[in-house]
Amino acid sequence: MAKTQTKAAAKLPLNEILSGDCIEEMNALPENSVDLIFADPPYNLQLKGDLHRPDNSKVDAVDDDWDQFDSFAVYDKFSREWLRAARRILKPNGAIWVIGSYHNIYRVGSALQDAGFWILNDVVWRKSNPMPNFRGVRLTNAHETMIWAGKSEKSKPTFNYEALKALNDGVQMRSDWLLPICNGNERIKDDNGEKAHPTQKPESLLHRIIVGSTNAGDVILDPFFGSGTTGAVAKKLGRDFIGIEREAKYRKVAEKRIKGIRRFDKESLLVSTSKRAEPRVPFGQLVERGMLKPGDQLFSLNGRHSAKIRADGTLIAHDQRGSIHQVGAALEGAPSCNGWTYWCFKKRGEAIPIDMLRKKIRAEMRAN
Amino acid sequence: MAKTQTKAAAKLPLNEILSGDCIEEMNALPENSVDLIFADPPYNLQLKGDLHRPDNSKVDAVDDDWDQFDSFAVYDKFSREWLRAARRILKPNGAIWVIGSYHNIYRVGSALQDAGFWILNDVVWRKSNPMPNFRGVRLTNAHETMIWAGKSEKSKPTFNYEALKALNDGVQMRSDWLLPICNGNERIKDDNGEKAHPTQKPESLLHRIIVGSTNAGDVILDPFFGSGTTGAVAKKLGRDFIGIEREAKYRKVAEKRIKGIRRFDKESLLVSTSKRAEPRVPFGQLVERGMLKPGDQLFSLNGRHSAKIRADGTLIAHDQRGSIHQVGAALEGAPSCNGWTYWCFKKRGEAIPIDMLRKKIRAEMRAN
DNA sequence: GATGCCAGTGAATCGACAG
DNA sequence: GCTGTCGATTCACTGGCAT
């Protein structure tokens, strides 16, 4: 199994931009080989006539040839095909992010569910500086929608909860993200000074996605690579990327852009990790190592209960026997209990959570 | 034509709550007779086991029978049928609002487009006080999605641009609406003191929708009437409503609720605007947005300490890791520390407080 | 009356792993 | 694949009651 994956990974065209149709190119890649896919598929915009600002200057709308689709049926077929190809190359625990607007996201979201992907969250990118609705006939279209989905219901995709919490000043990251659109220095211009790609995404958006849902060294594929924002941020953050882009002019823009980017140093790539990633320490080890002794009393954090430690690392309190978790849960009448934070021992009259002792052991383990 | 509509309108059961299946009830109404439809269909949540909060209390989940569907196919069939019935009774320039979450909104949105509705905007209801993700395994599901669509591409639905602009402190109303969920006094309780309906929507949401997309005297139909928020707000705002609700207990709740409501006088229809607090800017956003980079050094205001920035917006200094506030406090041996004023970055040899960057972001946010 | 503390709760697809 | 066990995990707001 491990060997197969290594072999598959060895065949991947890492940190390259593939030329051609994304469905064909994805079909040529080995299955179960990619950790994350970020996709910004063409929008099914149906602009009737040109859109003008109040001063009659023309708005540079997204009206390139590749963005026109005859009907929902054609668009749906296209969506189903690229999603199927994308799903094949994803690792079993891989995930996908798709971004879209109301023109296409309901089609894409349905196709994604039908293909077997399992939605984890949808995320709203709130633009801090959206284009106003010049004619005053609608609400300002101030957001785009992203869908984050695992390859299947059974998938266990990477989610760096603590890192995203840190990015959000210590409170859970929500499903609505306020970020500016890509303009100013970041917006790539061509030789004529015009924007090199009509829908260049901001790097801040990809930063949050990549920090939140990949680990360093992961492979991120973008089937609609465009100006290469995915590749640029992946490189900065020490991830590998695979880009697919049909249009030569965009490939050229992206290649030049990514060449000029340097990876952040290793230490700053580390992000806050979850306790779940820490090695498990059985409570019995505290007894074996003499940090606590059989016969010692433990006291509940709320002071209402006490229990005695037995030689095998179980507790006994009245008629309750079992692990620190089981006895804690039973005494509290709770469905479950984290014994590590529930129980305290006394040292010079002071109650100290037994988790302090576990931390000590873990620090020793790290030192060795 | 005008005569036909008058005749049709005369047959409408205005300001009543119809009992029965919404598809049958809508099919019994005359075509082209309703100005607006607001629909809050079942979300098809697929919940597995129980969920407990970290304090071990059990979450009261939406596990009612009316939200159970066997498959996407069954749910899609249901959506297509009620949308078809809804579209028939809409006036040619009528419009529909549908609300949903990621579980169902992509299905509903696709069905709506397939039925011939024309999406005008999608609107994100950002909850100011959503339920957190208790297990820390996903993003906080902090929003729901609403789709606003005309009966057809040719429809010219009512849009009270100026009224919404006034509601929004004089700037164009955006497609993301920050409103609290329905609780406190507004949340209707049954005789046992329990919530009378599991998914009662806040009146503020309906207020904005009705002010923005109907005129006084319009007829608003809600095929999933529930606790009757649509009817309550319609009555307050001088619109007529038609409710359809299958469950007797909900009809009873709604009837009693609406009976106690008085129509606003004309002058008081414009509600007071909410004051905007200074938005919170997480330090991580400076990193995501490239204003500071992972690996960059920060220096303390007093010049005694330095720290390095990591990709998730935490700092690292010797053995200290954590937020700008935590690391600052640790280095100073202080109980707390305002990292925004404590840390500086260097630009052309000059030390500049990072708070300058936050001010820049806030200025941008205010400008839009 | 003002303030502070505690308890309660909201449309939720809410584990990982050994045996 | 199933079962049992370990043990990680929450934000904003409201209302009641004590101080």
Side-chain angles (χ1 to χ4, degrees):
Chain A
M1 175 70 173
K3 197 178 169 188
T4 315
Q5 288 213 356
T6 311
K7 207 173 152 195
K11 281 192 235 165
L12 290 178
L14 294 183
N15 307 310
E16 288 179 25
I17 307 174
L18 307 179
S19 147
D21 171 71
C22 75
I23 297 169
E24 287 172 25
E25 294 302 316
M26 286 194 279
N27 283 339
L29 294 174
E31 63 177 352
N32 301 320
S33 59
V34 164
D35 296 286
L36 190 80
I37 292 176
F38 177 86
D40 182 10
Y43 293 11
N44 188 23
L45 297 185
Q46 298 169 359
L47 300 177
K48 304 290 185 201
D50 292 336
L51 181 63
H52 287 81
R53 294 194 177 90
D55 64 0
N56 275 331
S57 64
K58 192 181 162 200
V59 175
D60 185 13
V62 179
D63 57 359
D64 298 2
D65 284 345
W66 53 259
D67 216 3
Q68 303 299 327
F69 285 90
D70 293 329
S71 65
F72 288 132
V74 175
Y75 192 78
D76 289 346
K77 183 164 178 285
F78 164 70
S79 299
R80 282 193 291 269
E81 284 176 3
W82 76 256
L83 281 165
R84 198 161 70 98
R87 190 159 179 271
R88 191 189 64 88
I89 60 175
L90 266 187
K91 290 182 184 173
N93 288 329
I96 191 171
W97 286 83
V98 189
I99 184 168
S101 69
Y102 68 81
H103 306 89
N104 69 328
I105 198 65
Y106 302 102
R107 321 303 304 187
V108 174
S110 286
L112 184 143
Q113 291 179 307
D114 290 339
F117 286 102
W118 189 251
I119 299 184
L120 303 166
N121 277 116
D122 59 355
V123 175
V124 175
W125 169 29
R126 301 174 50 221
K127 304 178 186 184
S128 55
N129 46 355
M131 193 192 301
N133 186 287
F134 294 111
R135 292 165 49 191
V137 293
R138 307 270 177 92
L139 301 165
T140 305
N141 201 355
H143 75 276
E144 293 188 30
T145 301
M146 298 185 290
I147 301 175
W148 175 39
K151 177 167 182 171
S152 75
E153 186 178 351
K154 306 283 174 218
S155 299
K156 307 200 179 309
T158 300
F159 179 56
N160 295 318
Y161 173 76
E162 293 291 342
L164 288 180
K165 193 171 168 177
L167 272 178
N168 196 34
D169 258 9
V171 293
Q172 275 191 353
M173 184 68 80
R174 298 170 39 119
S175 56
D176 53 333
W177 298 357
L178 178 66
L179 294 169
I181 61 175
C182 180
N183 56 13
N185 251 344
E186 190 185 329
R187 187 87 197 213
I188 302 171
K189 305 289 196 304
D190 63 19
D191 299 335
N192 306 323
E194 311 211 328
K195 46 194 180 190
H197 190 278
T199 65
Q200 184 182 342
K201 294 289 172 289
E203 296 196 1
S204 56
L205 199 65
L206 271 295
H207 182 104
R208 197 173 284 187
I209 289 171
I210 292 177
V211 164
S213 57
T214 66
N215 296 311
D218 277 1
V219 177
I220 304 168
L221 181 137
D222 185 333
F224 308 99
F225 203 58
S227 58
T229 306
T230 303
V233 181
K235 184 173 177 185
K236 282 184 183 177
L237 290 173
R239 275 70 166 170
D240 289 315
F241 70 88
I242 301 171
I244 306 176
E245 176 52 50
R246 206 165 55 174
E247 309 251 347
K249 70 174 169 181
Y250 298 149
R251 286 199 303 275
K252 204 173 145 192
V253 166
E255 218 151 290
K256 183 177 164 198
R257 171 186 191 179
I258 293 170
K259 197 168 285 174
I261 280 176
R262 280 211 339 228
R263 183 183 149 167
F264 297 138
D265 69 83
K266 207 172 171 187
E267 195 183 26
S268 47
L269 288 184
L270 293 176
V271 296
S272 313
T273 53
S274 157
K275 275 189 203 161
R276 281 187 265 257
E278 297 274 340
R280 204 171 69 85
V281 177
F283 175 71
Q285 203 166 120
L286 274 53
V287 183
E288 289 171 342
R289 297 172 65 158
M291 301 167 103
L292 293 170
K293 290 183 184 51
D296 283 357
Q297 289 282 333
L298 294 185
F299 304 88
S300 68
L301 193 63
N302 56 27
R304 279 202 282 270
H305 300 286
S306 70
K308 201 197 285 192
I309 302 174
R310 303 200 293 177
D312 62 354
T314 57
L315 301 187
I316 178 165
H318 306 296
D319 54 341
Q320 302 295 338
R321 298 152 188 242
S323 70
I324 51 173
H325 316 295
Q326 289 167 334
V327 174
L331 291 173
E332 293 294 326
S336 71
C337 169
N338 184 346
W340 287 106
T341 50
Y342 180 75
W343 293 108
C344 303
F345 65 95
K346 288 228 169 128
K347 191 175 174 182
R348 287 186 234 110
E350 207 181 338
I352 302 170
I354 58 175
D355 203 30
M356 293 301 294
L357 301 174
R358 182 172 66 163
K359 281 189 179 133
K360 218 164 159 178
I361 292 179
R362 282 178 170 164
E364 281 175 30
M365 292 167 76
R366 269 195 298 275
N368 294 301
Chain B
M1 175 72 176
K3 195 178 171 189
T4 314
Q5 287 210 356
T6 310
K7 204 174 154 195
K11 282 191 235 163
L12 289 178
L14 293 183
N15 307 310
E16 289 180 26
I17 306 173
L18 308 179
S19 149
D21 171 70
C22 74
I23 297 168
E24 289 172 24
E25 294 302 316
M26 286 193 281
N27 283 340
L29 295 174
E31 64 177 351
N32 301 321
S33 59
V34 163
D35 296 285
L36 190 79
I37 293 175
F38 177 85
D40 182 11
Y43 284 11
N44 190 24
L45 299 185
Q46 295 160 42
L47 306 178
K48 305 270 158 39
D50 288 344
L51 178 63
H52 293 90
R53 299 185 180 81
D55 66 2
N56 276 322
S57 63
K58 193 177 158 203
V59 174
D60 183 17
V62 178
D63 52 3
D64 305 69
D65 287 341
W66 48 256
D67 200 43
Q68 303 300 317
F69 294 83
D70 289 333
S71 65
F72 281 138
V74 173
Y75 188 78
D76 289 346
K77 182 165 178 285
F78 163 72
S79 300
R80 282 193 291 268
E81 286 176 1
W82 76 255
L83 281 164
R84 199 160 69 98
R87 190 161 179 269
R88 190 187 65 87
I89 59 175
L90 266 186
K91 291 182 185 170
N93 286 329
I96 190 171
W97 286 82
V98 190
I99 184 167
S101 69
Y102 68 84
H103 311 85
N104 71 324
I105 198 65
Y106 301 103
R107 321 302 304 187
V108 174
S110 285
L112 185 143
Q113 290 179 309
D114 290 341
F117 286 103
W118 189 254
I119 299 184
L120 303 165
N121 275 117
D122 57 357
V123 175
V124 175
W125 169 28
R126 300 175 50 221
K127 304 179 184 184
S128 56
N129 47 352
M131 190 176 355
N133 185 289
F134 296 117
R135 305 296 293 268
V137 293
R138 305 273 176 92
L139 301 166
T140 308
N141 199 357
H143 74 275
E144 294 187 27
T145 301
M146 298 183 291
I147 302 176
W148 175 39
K151 176 166 182 172
S152 76
E153 186 180 351
K154 306 287 175 215
S155 300
K156 308 226 172 297
T158 299
F159 179 58
N160 296 318
Y161 176 78
E162 291 297 339
L164 289 178
K165 195 169 166 181
L167 273 179
N168 197 34
D169 273 354
V171 295
Q172 271 193 358
M173 184 68 80
R174 296 168 42 116
S175 56
D176 52 332
W177 298 357
L178 180 65
L179 295 169
I181 61 176
C182 179
N183 56 14
N185 247 345
E186 189 186 331
R187 188 86 194 213
I188 302 170
K189 305 290 197 299
D190 61 20
D191 299 335
N192 305 323
E194 310 212 328
K195 52 189 178 192
H197 191 281
T199 68
Q200 185 182 344
K201 294 290 173 290
E203 295 197 2
S204 57
L205 200 66
L206 271 295
H207 182 102
R208 199 173 281 188
I209 287 171
I210 292 176
V211 165
S213 57
T214 65
N215 297 310
D218 278 1
V219 176
I220 304 168
L221 180 138
D222 184 335
F224 307 98
F225 204 58
S227 59
T229 306
T230 302
V233 180
K235 184 173 178 186
K236 283 184 184 176
L237 292 174
R239 276 72 167 168
D240 289 316
F241 70 87
I242 301 170
I244 306 175
E245 175 53 49
R246 207 166 52 178
E247 311 245 351
K249 71 175 168 180
Y250 298 150
R251 286 200 303 274
K252 203 173 147 194
V253 166
E255 219 149 289
K256 182 177 164 198
R257 172 187 191 179
I258 294 170
K259 196 168 286 175
I261 281 178
R262 281 217 330 239
R263 184 181 156 167
F264 292 145
D265 59 89
K266 271 184 188 162
E267 279 69 32
S268 62
L269 282 188
L270 280 186
V271 295
S272 58
T273 56
S274 56
K275 247 185 291 177
R276 286 191 208 177
E278 196 75 88
R280 194 170 57 85
V281 177
F283 175 73
Q285 199 161 124
L286 274 52
V287 181
E288 290 174 331
R289 295 175 60 163
M291 301 168 104
L292 295 170
K293 290 182 183 51
D296 282 358
Q297 291 282 334
L298 294 184
F299 304 89
S300 66
L301 194 62
N302 57 26
R304 278 202 285 270
H305 300 287
S306 71
K308 202 199 287 193
I309 301 173
R310 301 200 294 175
D312 62 353
T314 55
L315 300 186
I316 177 166
H318 307 295
D319 54 341
Q320 302 295 336
R321 297 154 187 234
S323 71
I324 52 172
H325 316 293
Q326 289 167 337
V327 173
L331 291 173
E332 295 295 329
S336 69
C337 167
N338 182 349
W340 288 105
T341 51
Y342 180 76
W343 293 107
C344 305
F345 64 99
K346 289 227 169 127
K347 192 175 175 183
R348 286 185 234 113
E350 204 182 338
I352 302 172
I354 58 175
D355 203 30
M356 294 301 295
L357 300 174
R358 179 168 68 163
K359 285 190 176 130
K360 210 163 155 183
I361 291 181
R362 281 185 170 157
E364 275 177 31
M365 291 167 79
R366 268 194 300 275
N368 295 292

